Amino acid sequence: MPPLDSGAEEIQGAGSAFSPLPSRPPVVCPSARSVAGLPRVLSVSMDGMELLERRMKPRRPAAEQPEPLTERGAAERRDGKGKPEAGLQQLSEAAALLLLGLFVSAQWALVQLSVHQLLIGGGGGEFSPGRARKHLEHITGVGPRPVGSVENEVLTVNYLLQQVELVRAESAAGPHAITVDVQRPTGSFSIDFLGGFTSYYDRVTNIAVRLEPKTGAQHFMLANCHFDSVANSPGASDDAVSCAVMLEVLHSMANLSTPLRHGVIFLFNGAEENILQASHGFITQHPWAKQVRAFLNLEAAGVGGKEVVFQTGPENPWLVQAYVHAAKHPFASVVGQEVFQSGIIPSDTDFRIYRDFGNIPGIDLAFIENGFIYHTKYDTPDRIHTDSIQRAGDNILAVLKHLVMSEKLADSSEYRHGNMVFFDLLGVVVVAYPARVGTILNYIVTMATFLYLAKKCSLPSNAGGRYVRELAYASCVALLSWFVTLLSVLIVALLVTLIGRSMFWYSHFYTSVCLYGSAAVGKMLLVHTLAKNLYYGRVRRLELGELFFDVSLLLWCCVLVYLTQRGLCSAYVPMLMVAFPLATKLLLSGHFRNRGASLCYAVLYLLGLALPYAHLMFLIWVVFEIFTPIMGRSGTEIPPDVVLASLVTVATILLSSFFMHFIYLARSTKRVLAALGTVFTVMFILVSCGLFFPYSADLASPRPKRVIIQHTTRTFHAVDGSVERMDSGLWINSLDYTGMSHVTPHVPEINDTIRTRCADDLPFCGFPWFLPVKFLVKKNWYLPAPAVSPKSPLEFRLLSKQLTEWGAVKLSFEAKGPSHMSLYLLPQAGASLTGWSFGDGTPQFDLNGEYFIFYSHGLDAPTWNFWLEVQPPPDPSDEKGIISVAISSHYFFGDDRRTPELDSLLRKFPDWAFTSSWVSMYQMYRY
C-alpha cells in the first residue's frame, strides 16, 4: 500500500471532496470548471476504492513537516502529480484557540457596547427628558397604585388631569384642540392567559386625551400607557415612565406650529395590572374607539435600558415601515415577536386587547433590561437613566408624528395584508422588508447552497455518491455531538439541582457560563476530537475541515427551509447564517486551495462571519436578559437549572456551528480539552460547596427572592349553609424553585412540617389564589395564626335558586368586598356549567374542571351581582351538591392590609427576600 505522501493522491481544494487513495497509478482527468466558480479537480482513482480503505493507510508522523514547493513541485501540483499537503498550512492549537477566543470576546463586547449605547447621535431636541422625569417622580411619589386605591383613582388621576390642562392652556392659541374624557367602564371578557380565565371589572379608570386639528379629524392613532401598578411596587418602569413620556409627547405635539393631518388619542389607563381590564373598557365601550386606526402600546418587562419593538401587526406592514423610517434610536426584532406570541413567556400586554377585541393593528414597545427587580420595591425612578427616557421620547414622538401625517392611516385596510421581516443591527439601523420578499430571498440562498453542494456531488472524484455518504456521515457526527452535549449538560444541571444548589447563577450569571458552558464546549469538542482521531484517523485534516464546513452549511440550510415553510419571519436568522459563510468560503476558496488553513485564511474567514455572528450573539443576549430573571418568578415546578443549562447549550451549539471547521483544521485540541475540564471541575466543586448564593440585597444590583404571604381566614360551608370548618393562618408561597430552603434558617417556623397539599375536592385547593397559577406554584406552607378581621369583611350570599324549563339550576349571587376578589367554581362529578352572566354568557376555560373569575373595581362601585346556570348530574350528591362556589377577597391597601402577626413574620425575613404580603379571606359554599 503506497504511503500517504505518495504521488497517487490528488490535490483537495475548497471545491473538492474526499477521493480514494488508489492502489494503482491514477489517470489524469480533464479539468472541469464548477458553475459555482469552484477550483478544478485534478485527478481521480480508477478503481473507486471506498473511503474506509483509505482511512486505513498510515499517516505521516506529526513531526514531519512538509517541505516548501519548488517551481517544479508547483508545476507537478498543478498537473496532479505533486504532494497534496506540501506547502498547505494547518492551524496550531494555540492559534485556533486565540483566534476564536478573540472573535467571540470581540463580538460579545460589541453587543454589550450596543446595548448600553442608549442614544444614537444624541437627543432629538423636541422632547424634553427633564420634564418627563419630573412627571415620573410625581407619579411614583404617591407610592404603589393598585386599582381601587386612593393613590391610583384620585391622586394619580388628579395629577394627570392637571398636567393635561396645563398643556391645553399653553397650546390654546395653536392649531390644535385638546379634549379630555374620564371614562369609568364596567365589563367582562375571557382571556387565554395563565391557562385561561374570565375577568370582570367595575368602574375602573381611563383618562382619554384627544389631540386633533381645530378643524377636526376622522382618523386617529392611539398611544397607550398604564399608570396603575402592582400593590408592592412604585412601578416606575412598569409603567409610570411610559405615562411620563406620553405627557411630554402630548406637550410637544400640541405645540407644533403645523397642523396634524390626523389626530392622536393619548390613553392613560388605570387598570392594566388587573390583567388588561381598562384597555378592554376603552376599546369596546368608548365612542372614540371607533375612529382609532392603529396604536402604539408602551410597556415594561424590566427596568430601564432600551425600549424594544417586540410585537407588531397583525399584518399591516406599513406600521413597521413607519417605525423604520421615523425612529431615531431603533431597536426591534421580529424574533422577539414570534417568541412572545408563542406563549412561552408568562406575560401579556394591552396589545392583545386592542388586537383581539378592537381588531386594530399596532406596535408594542417594552423595556426589557434588569427584569430581576420588575414588580418589586426596587423599581424606582432613580434606576431609569435619563437617556432611556430621552430615547423612548424621541422614538415615540417621531413615530407618532410620522403616522399622523401619513395618508396610509386614513385607509389602513388597503395596506393591511402581509407581514414584515424586521431586525436591527446592533441598535444602529433597522433592516425591514416584506415577508414575501424574505421568502424569495430565503429560497435564493437555499438554492445557492444546493448548487454549491450539488456541484461537489457531481465532481468525477465523487463517483458513486461518495461525497453524499460522507456528508451524511459527518452530519450524523455533528447531530450526535449536539445530542450528547445536551444530554451531558442536562445531567450536570440535574446533579446541581439534586444537591440543593439550584439557581447558584441568579446573582452570578457568568458562573453558569463557566459551569454549563465549559461542559457544553468540552463535550462537543471531545466528540469531534474522537471522531477526528478514531473515525477519520487516516483522512487529511484540510479535507475534514472542508467537509464539516459543508455540514454546518447544510444543517443551517435545513433550519432555513423549515422556518420558511412554517411561514416564520425569524427565518432571516438562518438565512444570514448561510449566506455570509457561503459567500466567505467561495471568496477564500483559492487561498484555501493554495495555502491551506493559514493564519490569514482563518482571520479572513472569521471576518466573513462577523455580521451574522454579531446579530446571533445579540439575540442570545436578549434571550438570557429575558429568561434569566423569569426563572426567579416561574414557580416551584420548573427546574430553572435545566432551563438555563439548555439555553446555554443551545447557544453553544449555534455559535459553534461554523467553528467545527477549525476543530478539524487544528493540529490538536488536547490543551483546550484539558483547560475546559479544569474549569468545569473547579466550578462544579465551588458550586457544590455553596460558594455562590443565589440572592443579593446589594442596592446597586439587587437579586431578590420573591415570596408571597397572605394572612388569611378560611371558612367552609356545607350544603345546608352550616360551617363545616374554619381556620386561619399565614399562607406562604415561593415564586421560584428553591422553595423556602434558604429562608428556613432565618425563619425556622417555616419548614416542611407546615407544608400543605392541594385538596382536589375544593375549588382551587381551598386557598385564596389571587390569579390561577396553582399549576406553577405547588409548594406552599400554612403557618397557623389568629383569624383576620378586616374593617370591610367579605359579604357573599345566594339571592335565588331557580329550576329552568330545560332542567338546569340557575343560581343568583351577590358579593361585596374590597377592590380585588377571585371567584372559583367547581361543578361536581356529572354536573356541568352551562351558562353565566360573564362575557358572552358561555363559560370558557375549564381548568381541569374548575373555572376562575378575576374581579376588581374602582371607587364607589356597586355590589357585584352575577348568576350561574348548572346542569345537575343524574344522581346529585346530598353532601356535595351540584357545584362548589368559593370566593376570596384580597386587601392590597389601607389599614386592612396588615396584621401584627403578618408584620412580625415579615421582620424575620432576610434582606435579600422580597415579600409581597396582604390580608385575604376565603369562603366556600356548596349548592
Side-chain angles (χ1 to χ4, degrees):
M1 206 174 282
L4 188 62
D5 59 353
S6 167
E9 291 182 274
E10 65 174 0
I11 302 294
Q12 297 295 327
S16 64
F18 289 102
S19 60
L21 294 178
S23 58
R24 293 184 291 185
V27 175
V28 178
C29 298
S31 299
R33 173 67 61 185
S34 165
V35 297
L38 301 176
R40 301 170 186 268
V41 176
L42 302 180
S43 63
V44 64
S45 67
M46 292 186 60
D47 58 358
M49 182 183 298
E50 293 297 324
L51 181 63
L52 179 62
E53 184 178 345
R54 185 183 65 187
R55 293 189 187 112
M56 298 176 62
K57 296 183 182 298
R59 288 188 298 168
R60 180 172 55 213
E64 181 181 336
Q65 300 297 324
E67 299 179 359
L69 286 178
T70 61
E71 292 183 6
R72 177 182 176 184
E76 291 180 21
R77 179 175 173 182
R78 288 191 298 270
D79 294 336
K81 300 177 182 180
K83 298 180 180 181
E85 300 214 293
L88 298 184
Q89 303 177 29
Q90 290 182 344
L91 283 175
S92 67
E93 183 179 14
L97 178 61
L98 180 63
L99 281 175
L100 291 179
L102 288 175
F103 178 77
V104 173
S105 300
Q107 296 281 23
W108 188 249
L110 189 62
V111 169
Q112 293 300 308
L113 178 64
S114 165
V115 167
H116 294 99
Q117 183 68 32
L118 297 177
L119 298 178
I120 304 298
E126 297 178 84
F127 179 87
S128 170
R131 282 196 297 263
R133 179 168 287 282
K134 290 181 180 179
H135 296 319
L136 171 62
E137 291 171 351
H138 275 91
I139 294 172
T140 57
V142 303
R145 303 171 302 282
V147 171
S149 67
V150 172
E151 290 81 1
N152 189 69
E153 309 299 332
V154 178
L155 299 180
T156 305
V157 168
N158 288 345
Y159 176 77
L160 292 172
L161 291 175
Q162 177 189 12
Q163 295 305 309
V164 172
E165 287 301 319
L166 290 175
V167 173
R168 178 155 60 179
E170 183 180 345
S171 62
H176 299 110
I178 294 178
T179 308
V180 183
D181 182 63
V182 179
Q183 181 199 24
R184 303 198 187 272
T186 296
S188 67
F189 61 96
S190 296
I191 185 171
D192 184 13
F193 177 59
L194 297 176
F197 64 94
T198 298
S199 181
Y200 184 94
Y201 55 91
D202 194 0
R203 293 185 58 77
V204 297
T205 304
N206 278 322
I207 301 175
V209 182
R210 179 179 172 125
L211 175 69
E212 60 186 326
K214 287 184 174 178
T215 56
Q218 297 299 316
H219 311 284
F220 286 82
M221 276 294 300
L222 173 67
N224 177 78
C225 73
H226 69 89
F227 57 84
D228 66 312
S229 73
V230 292
N232 53 11
S233 172
S237 189
D238 186 22
D239 190 34
V241 67
S242 297
C243 290
V245 166
M246 271 179 45
L247 278 174
E248 181 55 26
V249 170
L250 169 63
H251 177 272
S252 298
M253 296 188 71
N255 286 283
L256 291 174
S257 57
T258 304
L260 301 175
R261 175 179 300 209
H262 307 296
V264 183
I265 296 173
F266 294 88
L267 180 63
F268 301 87
N269 90 60
E272 190 271 350
E273 297 296 353
N274 283 9
I275 318 300
L276 322 177
Q277 291 178 335
S279 57
H280 181 269
F282 174 82
I283 205 64
T284 59
Q285 300 176 42
H286 201 286
W288 295 352
K290 297 177 182 179
Q291 294 178 286
V292 174
R293 302 292 177 259
F295 67 91
L296 290 180
N297 183 51
L298 285 64
E299 255 296 350
V303 179
K306 294 183 174 183
E307 83 292 345
V308 60
V309 173
F310 68 99
Q311 286 191 99
T312 64
E315 298 188 290
N316 289 274
W318 61 278
L319 282 173
V320 177
Q321 293 168 345
Y323 178 85
V324 171
H325 178 81
K328 296 184 178 181
H329 317 287
F331 193 45
S333 173
V334 73
V335 175
Q337 170 175 295
E338 293 180 341
V339 169
F340 188 84
Q341 292 180 353
S342 70
I344 65 174
I345 298 178
S347 184
D348 220 328
T349 74
D350 287 322
F351 181 96
R352 168 190 282 235
I353 298 297
Y354 298 131
R355 178 195 66 194
D356 295 351
F357 293 94
N359 196 30
I360 55 175
I363 299 176
D364 211 0
L365 303 100
F367 297 100
I368 62 170
E369 289 188 37
N370 201 7
F372 297 99
I373 58 177
Y374 168 74
H375 280 189
T376 71
K377 64 183 180 182
Y378 301 106
D379 184 9
T380 53
D382 59 288
R383 297 184 183 276
I384 302 176
H385 199 282
T386 300
D387 284 352
S388 292
I389 300 175
Q390 177 77 68
R391 62 167 287 119
D394 287 345
N395 285 340
I396 294 162
L397 177 60
V399 172
L400 278 177
K401 286 172 60 179
H402 178 86
L403 287 170
V404 296
M405 299 302 291
S406 170
E407 295 179 354
K408 294 181 179 179
L409 186 67
D411 190 13
S412 58
S413 60
E414 183 179 344
Y415 309 96
R416 175 179 180 84
H417 299 291
N419 290 309
M420 290 288 288
V421 177
F422 61 92
F423 57 94
D424 73 281
L425 296 175
L426 299 178
V428 177
V429 63
V430 174
V431 177
Y433 48 86
R436 62 181 181 276
V437 173
T439 300
I440 296 172
L441 184 60
N442 294 345
Y443 282 125
I444 290 175
V445 172
T446 301
M447 185 58 65
T449 305
F450 173 79
L451 292 175
Y452 169 81
L453 298 175
K455 185 57 183 177
K456 288 193 171 186
C457 296
S458 66
L459 293 174
S461 59
N462 299 308
R466 188 176 305 108
Y467 173 72
V468 174
R469 288 196 300 273
E470 291 308 318
L471 188 63
Y473 295 156
S475 298
C476 290
V477 170
L479 293 174
L480 178 64
S481 72
W482 295 352
F483 174 77
V484 171
T485 297
L486 180 60
L487 182 63
S488 301
V489 177
L490 289 181
I491 291 174
V492 174
L494 288 174
L495 287 174
V496 170
T497 302
L498 290 175
I499 63 176
R501 302 303 179 191
S502 185
M503 294 185 67
F504 68 90
W505 37 264
Y506 196 63
S507 291
H508 320 273
F509 173 73
Y510 287 101
T511 59
S512 68
V513 177
C514 292
L515 181 66
Y516 299 131
S518 63
V521 175
K523 179 60 69 172
M524 192 177 305
L525 188 59
L526 178 62
V527 172
H528 285 289
T529 299
L530 292 175
K532 180 173 71 172
N533 294 333
L534 300 179
Y535 185 71
Y536 293 114
R538 299 295 181 261
V539 181
R540 290 171 297 173
R541 289 167 185 165
L542 296 180
E543 293 178 344
L544 286 177
E546 185 77 11
L547 177 65
F548 276 88
F549 171 85
D550 295 349
V551 167
S552 301
L553 203 64
L554 175 64
L555 294 176
W556 273 110
C557 194
C558 290
V559 175
L560 171 61
V561 172
Y562 174 76
L563 295 182
T564 304
Q565 286 292 320
R566 291 289 304 274
L568 297 176
C569 296
S570 300
Y572 82 88
V573 177
M575 184 275 293
L576 294 177
M577 294 299 293
V578 172
F580 279 83
L582 177 59
T584 300
K585 200 69 175 70
L586 291 175
L587 291 173
L588 294 177
S589 60
H591 184 101
F592 187 77
R593 180 178 66 251
N594 295 324
R595 299 188 59 187
S598 66
L599 185 62
C600 179
Y601 166 81
V603 171
L604 293 175
Y605 176 84
L606 290 176
L607 287 176
L609 301 181
L611 190 146
Y613 263 72
H615 187 66
L616 181 62
M617 292 189 78
F618 166 74
L619 293 177
I620 291 172
W621 172 85
V622 171
V623 167
F624 285 110
E625 188 70 21
I626 292 175
F627 281 95
T628 305
I630 284 178
M631 291 297 99
R633 57 181 190 269
S634 59
T636 60
E637 304 308 301
I638 303 173
D641 277 73
V642 171
V643 176
L644 190 71
S646 300
L647 292 176
V648 171
T649 304
V650 170
T652 302
I653 290 172
L654 295 178
L655 291 173
S656 67
S657 54
F658 284 103
F659 294 164
M660 286 192 296
H661 186 55
F662 283 92
I663 297 175
Y664 291 91
L665 291 178
R667 295 193 182 99
S668 174
T669 57
K670 293 179 181 178
R671 294 184 181 87
V672 177
L673 284 171
L676 290 170
T678 301
V679 171
F680 171 76
T681 302
V682 171
M683 281 303 305
F684 189 80
I685 293 174
L686 294 179
V687 170
S688 301
C689 294
L691 184 63
F692 305 107
F693 189 68
Y695 312 107
S696 171
D698 180 11
L699 292 179
S701 182
R703 298 290 187 271
K705 174 179 177 59
R706 298 170 188 251
V707 180
I708 294 178
I709 306 176
Q710 297 182 46
H711 190 176
T712 186
T713 293
R714 305 187 300 164
T715 307
F716 302 89
H717 297 82
V719 175
D720 61 4
S722 63
V723 176
E724 286 183 333
R725 64 185 175 94
M726 180 178 179
D727 62 41
S728 298
L730 295 162
W731 186 46
I732 304 162
N733 291 281
S734 169
L735 292 188
D736 67 38
Y737 188 80
T738 64
M740 304 303 290
S741 59
H742 295 292
V743 174
T744 299
H746 300 268
V747 192
E749 52 264 53
I750 303 178
N751 54 59
D752 286 344
T753 63
I754 60 168
R755 279 278 301 273
T756 63
R757 297 291 183 268
C758 179
D760 293 330
D761 61 330
L762 299 176
F764 270 74
C765 302
F767 283 101
W769 290 99
F770 174 60
L771 288 172
V773 293
K774 69 171 188 175
F775 64 97
L776 289 175
V777 186
K778 294 184 178 180
K779 298 175 185 175
N780 30 73
W781 293 257
Y782 194 58
L783 182 65
V788 298
S789 54
K791 296 177 182 178
S792 303
L794 172 64
E795 299 176 12
F796 183 77
R797 67 190 183 98
L798 176 68
L799 296 179
S800 65
K801 181 178 180 180
Q802 301 173 338
L803 184 64
T804 65
E805 297 178 357
W806 46 91
V809 177
K810 184 176 182 179
L811 305 169
S812 298
F813 299 93
E814 177 184 86
K816 187 176 182 180
S819 62
H820 292 77
M821 293 188 284
S822 301
L823 181 69
Y824 324 98
L825 308 176
L826 177 61
Q828 298 303 325
S832 60
L833 190 64
T834 57
W836 59 14
S837 56
F838 308 116
D840 61 2
T842 303
Q844 296 188 42
F845 303 118
D846 176 347
L847 303 172
N848 296 321
E850 296 178 293
Y851 299 84
F852 185 98
I853 296 90
F854 180 88
Y855 169 88
S856 73
H857 69 70
L859 296 179
D860 304 321
T863 302
W864 182 24
N865 290 279
F866 61 91
W867 56 264
L868 310 171
E869 192 173 274
V870 185
Q871 187 68 42
D875 299 311
S877 169
D878 293 335
E879 293 183 359
K880 293 187 177 181
I882 61 174
I883 188 171
S884 295
V885 178
I887 187 168
S888 65
S889 56
H890 302 270
Y891 300 86
F892 285 127
F893 51 86
D895 296 335
D896 288 340
R897 181 185 181 187
R898 320 297 303 181
T899 65
E901 295 77 16
L902 183 56
D903 290 338
S904 176
L905 183 67
L906 293 177
R907 284 193 291 268
K908 298 179 182 180
F909 274 78
D911 293 340
W912 43 261
F914 174 70
T915 55
S916 300
S917 58
W918 64 89
V919 169
S920 64
M921 299 183 72
Y922 177 96
Q923 297 182 12
M924 193 277 290
Y925 301 84
R926 298 186 191 275
Y927 300 101

